Amino acid sequence: MMQTLADIGEDELIRQFVRGLKQDASVIAGPGDDCAVVQGSREALVLKTDTVVEGVHFTEATPARLIGRKAMARVISDFAAMAATPRHALITFIAPPHIPVKRALEVYAGLRSMAESFGINIVGGETSRGNQLILTVSMTGTAPNHQWISRNQARVGDDLYVTGRLGGSIQGKHLKFTPRMAEAHWLAKNLKVHAMMDISDGLAQDLPRLANACGLGFEVDLAALPRTPGCTPQQAWGDGEDYELLLAISPKTSAQKLETWKKTFPKLKLTRIGHLVEKQDAPLAPSGGWQHFRS
Amino acid sequence: MMQTLADIGEDELIRQFVRGLKQDASVIAGPGDDCAVVQGSREALVLKTDTVVEGVHFTEATPARLIGRKAMARVISDFAAMAATPRHALITFIAPPHIPVKRALEVYAGLRSMAESFGINIVGGETSRGNQLILTVSMTGTAPNHQWISRNQARVGDDLYVTGRLGGSIQGKHLKFTPRMAEAHWLAKNLKVHAMMDISDGLAQDLPRLANACGLGFEVDLAALPRTPGCTPQQAWGDGEDYELLLAISPKTSAQKLETWKKTFPKLKLTRIGHLVEKQDAPLAPSGGWQHFRS
């Protein structure tokens, strides 16, 4: 008989979750106390929490490792979007009692493996029962003071770029994307990036958010959007969960610097899709994208 | 007609959540970007996440403000249990789309009000739809290096104490408790506290956890447990969600220091309930308490 969470209970589940967890020297007290304790740093402290919910971000049929992978990768993608560095994670694991222990451990293995790839310490968390599987990852990290990139400092005339290809992520990319961490840090260091964010709800939702945060409008050439093979421009515009970077770059950025991108990341496109304009000069944008509660 | 989350959508809900949010000078970038950014500190960084789930920690009939209050107070209680200071919180709000906007805002008001009482900045969060209302609060805070109190440093012969009265919290205390923050900091400063934790799953679960963490056993006099009026010793032992402090104190702590407690916190009992012994000398303890997935 397949063991379920109801068979082993909360304490034993946590013991199995944290067995052999890798942690670096910054961890003073990991899982097992009321709180975790890690070493502080005078650098700016960067904080993010993000959630994946069964039936919304994955289904009962989704391979367990990919659920954990996605939960962790989404948060890492947000750190990338600020050119910050994630360091310490807390995991909230909510599941129905009838879930097989094996599936729970595979979910956690996906979390652990993605965390290890990016040098992130899992230092604690929380478990509870609920009607559906829900993972929340809360992360702290650092950014050299004032060297992180927000989404609200873009200016009129800035060029808009995206990494990679957009659209059709439901075919698999939403579970298997690699956060653009190295790319984001390279961009922040080498180009005049005024604003950056990751595209999680679709360009149709996220680009207006970036423009609004800057008090600006935008012009985008839908035909110029880099598309996942088989996708229409409308899908590249409206589909969610691309987890690519959207950037506003000074138009003074030299063509030579943009050429260097191609040599550094030969497999990942960096495509100009439009530019920022005064709000009143913005054309009406086509609708699309993902909103929670509405969809 | 009552407005629901489905009517206003995610962006408008977040706008209403964060309107007029109070933040101190440590917040560099609050809600609205990929991550929040706050000032770092060389002090030890303390991290905790905790969740309340509809049907587990509250019901559909629970007044909305008390749900938010409880979600925030539970995490604050964990910081108290380490004599640490909570500073910055991220809120994950999961709810079915049919929930009235008014109820969602009242839940959030409960979170905000409890956070403000303890000088905590809400700096960001996440919303998603789900089958039931779930709140996760992730908190960062500080502790002067090596001045925080873990649950695993108690020694044989240490006296065990609890604050307040135990049992029957389902009558209302589980929604209305005030985290023992001032008391915890006073105890850490004035008594020789070797280990401390908050009692969230009932003494029957939590005391063995503390003793195990120290590699020790315990002897408790059930009749000595301070009881909520109307509760049996078995309820004081087994009921969950007291959110009182459980402490292991050096037996060398002077009676005079313990007398000072009474003058400082005249309304809150501090009761000796037993002591720690070698593991092999521990009597069999009665069972009880709360375990997720099993109950």
Side-chain angles (χ1 to χ4, degrees):
Chain A
M1 272 255 304
M2 187 97 79
Q3 258 195 335
T4 69
L5 300 192
D7 295 324
I8 66 165
E10 183 178 11
D11 284 5
E12 176 57 24
L13 178 67
I14 295 170
R15 247 193 302 278
Q16 297 197 24
F17 275 171
V18 304
R19 185 186 290 160
L21 213 50
K22 282 184 199 165
Q23 289 171 339
D24 64 32
S26 68
V27 180
I28 303 171
D33 219 312
D34 298 283
C35 305
V37 185
V38 304
Q39 244 139 41
S41 153
R42 284 219 186 282
E43 291 185 318
L45 182 63
V46 182
L47 307 175
K48 174 68 186 184
T49 193
D50 199 62
T51 294
V52 295
V53 178
E54 191 174 84
V56 180
H57 303 93
F58 61 91
T59 70
E60 274 197 75
T62 305
R65 280 187 79 97
L66 294 183
I67 299 169
R69 188 190 191 288
K70 176 172 182 171
M72 184 62 71
R74 274 166 62 96
V75 186
I76 297 171
S77 182
D78 279 310
F79 275 76
M82 299 192 89
T85 302
R87 297 297 316 281
H88 300 104
L90 302 168
I91 311 298
T92 303
F93 179 93
I94 296 172
H98 64 71
I99 275 196
V101 174
K102 186 164 177 292
R103 183 162 169 84
L105 292 179
E106 278 171 6
V107 167
Y108 214 87
L111 285 162
R112 286 172 63 147
S113 151
M114 181 50 84
E116 280 178 22
S117 311
F118 285 84
I120 295 161
N121 302 279
I122 295 174
V123 294
E126 150 83 341
T127 58
S128 180
R129 70 182 157 85
N131 296 343
Q132 65 204 133
L133 181 61
I134 298 180
L135 292 178
T136 299
V137 176
S138 300
M139 194 103 74
T140 68
T142 56
N145 281 299
H146 309 293
Q147 294 296 305
W148 45 277
I149 297 183
S150 74
R151 60 171 70 163
N152 59 17
Q153 298 295 313
R155 304 159 205 177
V156 168
D158 278 356
D159 286 319
L160 293 166
Y161 282 82
V162 294
T163 59
R165 296 169 183 275
L166 306 182
S169 77
I170 194 70
Q171 301 303 324
K173 188 181 181 189
H174 77 108
L175 293 170
K176 292 180 182 165
F177 68 97
T178 300
R180 303 299 187 198
M181 184 64 71
E183 294 84 351
H185 282 264
W186 186 93
L187 289 163
K189 195 175 161 199
N190 290 281
L191 302 189
K192 294 180 198 301
V193 181
H194 290 161
M196 187 159 63
M197 67 185 295
D198 71 330
I199 308 171
S200 54
D201 293 334
L203 202 54
Q205 290 285 331
D206 288 331
L207 177 51
R209 283 179 186 144
L210 182 142
N212 277 333
C214 302
L216 298 175
F218 58 86
E219 276 189 34
V220 165
D221 179 4
L222 279 200
L225 295 183
R227 282 146 38 201
T228 306
C231 282
T232 64
Q234 188 59 43
Q235 286 174 304
W237 174 247
D239 286 358
E241 304 211 278
D242 289 312
Y243 302 105
E244 295 292 350
L245 296 169
L246 167 65
L247 309 91
I249 304 182
S250 162
K252 291 176 194 154
T253 304
S254 74
Q256 194 196 330
K257 282 283 187 188
L258 289 164
E259 280 302 308
T260 325
W261 166 275
K262 291 185 191 165
K263 288 172 200 154
T264 316
F265 301 100
K267 287 180 180 169
L268 194 69
K269 289 160 70 79
L270 180 66
T271 310
R272 184 179 177 281
I273 60 166
H275 62 284
L276 290 165
V277 298
E278 296 287 1
K279 203 158 204 161
Q280 68 271 20
D281 301 335
L284 276 183
S287 64
W290 174 264
Q291 277 221 318
H292 281 297
F293 304 119
R294 285 220 153 130
S295 305
Chain B
M1 275 257 300
M2 188 97 78
Q3 257 195 335
T4 69
L5 300 193
D7 295 325
I8 66 165
E10 184 179 10
D11 284 5
E12 176 58 24
L13 178 67
I14 294 170
R15 247 193 303 279
Q16 296 197 25
F17 275 171
V18 304
R19 187 186 288 158
L21 212 51
K22 281 185 199 165
Q23 290 170 338
D24 65 33
S26 69
V27 181
I28 303 171
D33 219 311
D34 297 285
C35 304
V37 184
V38 305
Q39 243 140 42
S41 153
R42 284 220 184 283
E43 291 185 318
L45 182 62
V46 182
L47 307 175
K48 174 69 186 184
T49 193
D50 199 63
T51 294
V52 294
V53 178
E54 191 174 84
V56 180
H57 304 93
F58 61 91
T59 70
E60 274 197 76
T62 305
R65 279 187 78 98
L66 294 183
I67 299 168
R69 188 191 191 286
K70 176 172 182 171
M72 184 61 72
R74 275 166 61 97
V75 186
I76 297 172
S77 181
D78 279 310
F79 275 77
M82 298 191 89
T85 302
R87 295 297 316 282
H88 300 105
L90 301 169
I91 311 297
T92 302
F93 179 93
I94 296 172
H98 64 71
I99 276 196
V101 174
K102 187 164 176 291
R103 184 161 167 86
L105 293 178
E106 278 171 6
V107 166
Y108 214 86
L111 285 161
R112 285 172 64 148
S113 151
M114 182 48 85
E116 280 178 22
S117 312
F118 284 84
I120 294 160
N121 302 279
I122 295 174
V123 294
E126 151 83 341
T127 59
S128 181
R129 70 184 158 82
N131 296 342
Q132 65 204 133
L133 181 60
I134 298 180
L135 291 177
T136 299
V137 176
S138 299
M139 194 103 74
T140 67
T142 56
N145 281 299
H146 310 292
Q147 294 297 301
W148 44 278
I149 297 183
S150 74
R151 60 170 71 163
N152 59 17
Q153 299 295 313
R155 305 158 205 180
V156 168
D158 278 356
D159 287 319
L160 293 166
Y161 282 83
V162 294
T163 59
R165 297 168 183 277
L166 306 182
S169 78
I170 195 69
Q171 301 302 326
K173 188 181 181 190
H174 77 109
L175 294 169
K176 292 179 183 165
F177 68 97
T178 299
R180 302 300 188 197
M181 184 64 68
E183 294 84 352
H185 282 263
W186 186 93
L187 288 163
K189 195 175 160 196
N190 289 281
L191 302 188
K192 293 179 199 300
V193 181
H194 289 161
M196 186 158 65
M197 67 186 293
D198 72 330
I199 308 171
S200 53
D201 293 333
L203 202 54
Q205 290 285 332
D206 288 331
L207 176 50
R209 284 179 185 146
L210 183 142
N212 277 334
C214 303
L216 298 175
F218 58 86
E219 276 188 35
V220 165
D221 179 5
L222 280 199
L225 295 183
R227 280 147 38 200
T228 306
C231 282
T232 64
Q234 188 59 41
Q235 287 173 304
W237 173 246
D239 286 358
E241 303 211 279
D242 289 312
Y243 301 104
E244 296 292 349
L245 297 170
L246 166 65
L247 310 92
I249 304 182
S250 163
K252 290 174 192 155
T253 304
S254 75
Q256 194 197 329
K257 282 283 187 186
L258 289 164
E259 279 302 309
T260 326
W261 167 274
K262 291 185 192 165
K263 288 174 200 153
T264 315
F265 301 100
K267 289 180 179 167
L268 193 70
K269 289 162 71 79
L270 180 66
T271 309
R272 185 178 175 285
I273 60 166
H275 61 283
L276 290 165
V277 299
E278 296 286 1
K279 203 157 204 161
Q280 68 270 20
D281 301 336
L284 275 184
S287 64
W290 173 263
Q291 276 221 321
H292 281 296
F293 305 118
R294 283 223 153 125
S295 305

